[in-house]
Amino acid sequence: MQLFSTYENHIYLEIAILNLEKVGIKKENIYAVPLDNREESRKIFDTLHRSDGISLIDIAMPLATAFAVITASIGFELKWGPIYWGLIGAVSGFIIGLLIRLFMVLLSNKKQHRLKGKQSEVLLIVECDETKGEVVEKILWEHFALGLAKVIKN
């Protein structure tokens, strides 16, 4: 039987390994593998196959509408007329809204370089007999494993 668990790189991992050795698990059957966590920042623009759920035009479209209405109504008194000024207002409102949203997304990405919550930093693999499986599982949970999975060999 193999038990896989993930931990933060913390003293509880060391204590769990020591307790596993006390129960009778040999050092050769305990594997601790450090994980590389993602440090890369998220991409701003979505592709056809990947989307992060952040919309960049949610502020731009209402601003484009508002600017188009305001400039079109003012355009009745200006030289080019309401249609041209409405289009100019729509484009400028869209660009302003897009810049506001890009600024907000870039600021929030700098604050959120790491994932929220606890991160797995070490993968602990324990090979043992099925008779000791329950004890090993209890030890791993007691020492704050973030996740646990077991594979029974046939």
Side-chain angles (χ1 to χ4, degrees):
M1 162 182 256
Q2 287 184 329
L3 286 119
F4 298 87
S5 61
T6 57
Y7 281 90
E8 286 184 287
N9 197 2
H10 202 270
I11 190 69
Y12 294 117
L13 173 63
E14 304 283 336
I15 295 170
I17 293 172
L18 288 174
N19 285 341
L20 289 173
E21 290 174 2
K22 286 180 185 177
V23 172
I25 307 295
K26 296 179 183 177
K27 284 185 180 182
E28 296 83 31
N29 294 335
I30 301 172
Y31 307 100
V33 182
L35 298 172
D36 292 331
N37 286 327
R38 172 172 249 171
E39 301 269 336
E40 172 183 322
S41 62
R42 296 187 329 197
K43 297 188 178 6
I44 294 177
F45 296 105
D46 296 338
T47 64
L48 181 64
H49 302 290
R50 184 196 59 79
S51 175
D52 57 3
I54 296 174
S55 174
L56 293 178
I57 62 169
D58 58 348
I59 295 175
M61 293 305 285
L63 274 180
T65 304
F67 278 43
V69 170
I70 292 169
T71 54
S73 60
I74 294 172
F76 280 107
E77 298 176 4
L78 299 176
K79 183 177 179 183
W80 288 349
I83 294 176
Y84 285 125
W85 282 106
L87 290 173
I88 292 169
V91 170
S92 61
F94 185 83
I95 291 171
I96 291 170
L98 188 66
L99 291 175
I100 290 171
R101 187 63 173 156
L102 275 173
F103 182 70
M104 289 170 47
V105 168
L106 289 175
L107 278 182
S108 68
N109 274 350
K110 287 182 182 178
K111 293 178 184 174
Q112 297 176 353
H113 277 294
R114 294 188 60 166
L115 297 174
K116 292 181 180 177
K118 297 184 178 185
Q119 287 188 331
S120 299
E121 295 178 348
V122 179
L123 176 65
L124 185 68
I125 305 170
V126 180
E127 289 188 31
C128 64
D129 296 330
E130 288 186 39
T131 56
K132 293 183 182 179
E134 293 291 324
V135 175
V136 170
E137 184 176 354
K138 183 180 175 193
I139 290 172
L140 295 176
W141 281 124
E142 285 176 354
H143 292 88
F144 304 109
L146 297 176
L148 190 112
K150 50 184 164 179
V151 177
I152 300 172
K153 295 180 182 179
N154 289 333

